[in-house]
Amino acid sequence: MRGEHFIIDSTRDLPQFLENARSKFGGEGFQAHVLDIEGCYPNMPKDKIEHAMLQLVQEARREGHTGVSVPMRAKKLKCSWKEVGGGFKWIPFEVMLGMLDFSLNNAIARLKDGRLVRQLKGIPMGDALSPGMTIGTCGWMEREWMNTLDEHTKKKFRAKRYMDDILLLLNKQGWDYERFYKDFKESHCYMYPLKLEEATEGTFLETSFEIMQGELNFRLKNANAGTNGKTIWRYQSYESYTPATQKASVLTATLKKVDYMASDQSEKFESAMDKLHEFRELRYPAR
């Protein structure tokens, strides 16, 4: 999606975003806020969804595109603007918009007593198109709002959103950042009836972070840290029937993630020790 929006495609993109913010705002003093778009799914206005999707299609048409080739099976293959044969299905924009309209207005659920009910408001529950509607419509709202801001203001904050979860970083120097945050939270960004509410501080997606003396430190989120590894049962016991090679692979992949998600050597070491302790609690041998 082109333009200025907050969409983050993957949790793996978050460390780079935090690192960029740290290099940009480090030493100047800044705040971090984690927010949710309250009632995003049941309250998203249908007319805004339709308008946002139409806008995106019109932009693609102006760039010479008429549809999308979608891989039918392989998850690692990417969609393409060009018509591709083989395991791809070509979907013209007219068909896509027709599917969207049908999905929005024909979300039917069957109750236990056999009655059928039709969802009248919000994003269709359980529909395969719903994630795209959520991501695209919120991104369109963000882009419209960003167009109302001056360049000085844009340089003073950074934001990313995954579905309806938002991380907002504010530079505290040289502007009324408290007024900006109040307006953003109220929300001058996401259209009525959507509104923002504060979520758990210091955690966004799979990352835990803290700001100390103007510096941002972050690491892989771990709810079991300091709890003897018993808060959340995340991995199999070493005494399970799973092959030892699979258990070793899980351990290796976990530590690679620890390495990737840490802001520095200190955070990496502490995060790794917490994870190793968690595996020891599951009777993984020290070797």
Side-chain angles (χ1 to χ4, degrees):
M1 184 173 175
R2 298 188 184 280
E4 296 175 301
H5 53 75
F6 308 154
I7 298 171
I8 187 170
D9 295 324
S10 167
T11 56
R12 289 187 62 82
D13 296 339
L14 188 58
Q16 185 62 53
F17 167 72
L18 293 173
E19 189 59 46
N20 291 341
R22 185 162 73 159
S23 62
K24 180 70 176 177
F25 298 151
E28 297 185 25
F30 61 105
Q31 289 182 342
H33 299 277
V34 182
L35 304 113
D36 293 327
I37 304 177
E38 184 183 1
C40 179
Y41 306 107
N43 293 325
M44 179 78 76
K46 287 187 177 182
D47 61 326
K48 298 299 188 295
I49 297 173
E50 292 174 326
H51 184 73
M53 298 300 104
L54 183 59
Q55 286 278 95
L56 297 180
V57 166
Q58 288 175 342
E59 289 172 14
R61 280 177 172 151
R62 285 195 291 268
E63 295 177 1
H65 308 304
T66 58
V68 179
S69 287
V70 180
M72 292 188 287
R73 291 185 179 84
K75 293 182 179 180
K76 293 185 178 181
L77 294 177
K78 294 184 178 181
C79 297
S80 172
W81 292 118
K82 300 178 181 178
E83 288 196 54
V84 182
F88 284 78
K89 178 67 176 179
W90 174 252
I91 307 178
F93 288 143
E94 292 78 10
V95 174
M96 294 177 69
L97 291 173
M99 292 165 58
L100 177 78
D101 181 71
F102 183 87
S103 175
L104 277 173
N105 296 294
N106 294 277
I108 309 295
R110 186 190 297 274
L111 303 182
K112 279 188 175 182
D113 60 9
R115 286 183 297 152
L116 299 177
V117 293
R118 181 163 65 96
Q119 183 181 339
L120 298 179
K121 296 182 179 180
I123 296 169
M125 292 187 295
D127 194 289
L129 300 183
S130 294
M133 293 182 198
T134 306
I135 296 166
T137 306
C138 289
W140 171 76
M141 291 180 180
E142 291 157 359
R143 199 173 61 177
E144 293 291 300
W145 178 71
M146 288 289 286
N147 288 335
T148 68
L149 304 181
D150 59 73
E151 292 303 317
H152 174 74
T153 300
K154 292 179 183 179
K155 292 177 181 178
K156 290 295 186 178
F157 75 95
R158 295 289 184 272
K160 285 296 179 184
R161 174 184 51 80
Y162 191 83
M163 298 299 284
D164 61 343
D165 297 322
I166 301 164
L167 174 60
L168 177 68
L169 303 178
L170 299 174
N171 189 322
K172 295 168 65 176
Q173 304 295 320
W175 70 312
D176 192 351
Y177 67 92
E178 293 178 335
R179 172 65 182 271
F180 175 86
Y181 178 62
K182 181 176 181 292
D183 289 345
F184 182 77
K185 187 182 173 186
E186 278 188 346
S187 155
H188 289 198
C189 178
Y190 301 99
M191 298 176 184
Y192 181 84
L194 302 182
K195 58 182 179 179
L196 295 172
E197 63 177 6
E198 294 182 344
T200 305
E201 290 186 9
T203 301
F204 182 70
L205 303 180
E206 290 188 290
T207 301
S208 295
F209 60 88
E210 60 182 350
I211 300 174
M212 297 184 63
Q213 299 179 341
E215 293 297 329
L216 176 66
N217 300 315
F218 52 90
R219 67 174 81 165
L220 179 67
K221 173 185 172 182
N222 185 1
N224 290 327
T227 61
N228 294 322
K230 295 179 181 179
T231 300
I232 297 175
W233 190 284
R234 187 176 281 114
Y235 312 106
Q236 290 177 310
S237 168
Y238 196 79
E239 296 173 348
S240 69
Y241 286 98
T242 305
T245 52
Q246 183 174 329
K247 295 167 189 165
S249 296
V250 170
L251 175 57
T252 302
T254 301
L255 292 178
K256 283 184 177 180
K257 202 168 189 179
V258 164
D259 177 54
Y260 179 78
M261 301 290 281
S263 59
D264 53 45
Q265 291 293 333
S266 176
E267 295 293 324
K268 185 184 301 183
F269 178 80
E270 191 167 341
S271 179
M273 293 303 292
D274 285 336
K275 277 295 176 187
L276 291 173
H277 178 74
E278 189 174 351
F279 279 102
R280 284 299 304 272
E281 287 290 312
L282 295 172
R283 300 186 180 279
Y284 278 64
R287 62 179 173 80

